[in-house]
Amino acid sequence: MPTTVVRFNLVDPAATPESLSERYRAAVEMAAYADEHGITTVQTEEHHGTDNGWMPSPIAFAGAVLGATRRIAVTLCAIVTPLYDPLRLAEDIAVLDLLSGGRLV
């Protein structure tokens, strides 16, 4: 079975709170559309200290995507683990995986 991927980083060179809000909501809608049309995976990653809105919280975003979809897998391609408490990170990922029925990668 082929793997098809939609990757979100949500970069917005002219980022404002309003434009980022619209971008995040649109990305979740696109993920739901992808889920309905046979795409197999959504990917996202974590970046900090950028002025262009690059995804700072992929775990929260993954939760939104998993909640809006039923079949598609969500892959966290990069998590900056030194920024997290290891136990909290493991538990947050485990809860999302359980809630999604094993769709978190």
Side-chain angles (χ1 to χ4, degrees), residues 19-73:
S19 69
L20 287 174
S21 177
E22 289 175 21
R23 189 170 294 254
Y24 275 77
R25 286 184 279 121
V28 171
E29 290 175 11
M30 285 189 270
Y33 180 88
D35 187 50
E36 294 168 3
H37 290 84
I39 302 299
T40 59
T41 306
V42 167
Q43 292 182 340
T44 190
E45 73 280 333
E46 177 175 17
H47 289 271
H48 297 279
T50 67
D51 58 0
N52 63 4
W54 199 303
M55 176 74 65
S57 187
I59 296 171
F61 179 73
V65 169
L66 291 165
T69 60
R70 298 292 164 247
R71 186 192 53 76
I72 203 164

